[in-house]
Amino acid sequence: RRQRQMCIRDRLKELRQTKRMTQKQVAERLKLGVSTVSGYENNTKTPSLETLIDLARLYNCLLYTSPSPRDG
């Protein structure tokens, strides 16, 4: 059985939690509303490319990685 692909909302939440940050802390760092950050993680809002780049910098991660064999 194939595993469900991770959606951006799941990855954003995982990265935030790994950095031990609250949604409020992320919002303050990026000058966004807490409801906006929550919306990204709950799939009710879509971050712009600029915001995705800012999030990648904040979380110190790549914005895009090519599929790996483990992705399946």
Side-chain angles (χ1 to χ4, degrees):
R1 186 175 169 187
R2 277 185 90 178
Q3 286 186 335
R4 174 177 76 92
Q5 286 188 321
M6 183 174 279
C7 296
I8 192 166
R9 66 177 180 257
D10 301 324
R11 186 71 176 132
L12 289 175
K13 184 174 183 177
E14 178 186 273
L15 288 165
R16 178 179 57 77
Q17 290 174 335
T18 298
K19 292 291 185 178
R20 297 180 185 212
M21 296 180 77
T22 64
Q23 289 180 344
K24 182 178 180 184
Q25 289 170 320
V26 172
E28 288 172 351
R29 291 278 298 270
L30 299 182
K31 295 178 177 53
L32 300 170
V34 175
S35 64
T36 300
V37 175
S38 176
Y40 297 158
E41 292 183 9
N42 291 305
N43 205 34
T44 59
K45 294 187 179 193
T46 303
S48 67
L49 180 57
E50 182 180 340
T51 299
L52 284 173
I53 292 168
D54 291 341
L55 286 162
R57 286 183 180 139
L58 177 64
Y59 297 142
N60 194 31
C61 70
L62 296 174
L63 187 58
Y64 173 78
T65 58
S66 60
S68 72
R70 70 170 191 239
D71 292 336

